[in-house]
Amino acid sequence: IGVATTGIAGPTGGSRGKPVGLVFMAITRGGRTRVSERLFPGDRKDVKERAANHALNMVRLALMEKR
């Protein structure tokens, strides 16, 4: 399984089109890739923690799927 995250955790760097808290998470397993886009509230620490938890949950769900 491959996992990737990218986004704008803040406190600066955001724009109208890409606000602080915008994060993309992706996982790939067995040739299938899933991407999730979320806008997380909070400060930099909150955004990073929420993004990591979301990405790990994507991994958990992928592992629970039957192949």
Side-chain angles (χ1 to χ4, degrees), residues 1 3 8 12 14-15 19-20 22 25 36 38 63-64 66:
I1 293 180
V3 182
I8 303 158
T12 62
S15 67
V20 169
L22 179 64
M25 291 126 312
S36 179
R38 295 286 190 271
L63 289 172
M64 291 175 56
K66 292 185 180 181

Side-chain angles (χ1 to χ4, degrees), residues 2-57:
V3 182
T5 62
T6 188
I8 303 158
T12 62
S15 67
R16 177 171 272 146
K18 296 178 185 175
V20 169
L22 179 64
V23 181
F24 293 86
M25 291 126 312
I27 66 163
T28 187
R29 178 182 186 228
R32 183 172 175 204
T33 300
R34 296 171 190 97
V35 178
S36 179
E37 174 184 350
R38 295 286 190 271
L39 183 59
F40 295 117
D43 62 17
R44 181 177 181 83
K45 180 180 177 283
D46 294 334
V47 171
K48 290 171 67 175
E49 187 173 310
R50 287 181 171 113
N53 285 335
H54 185 79
L56 289 172
N57 189 53

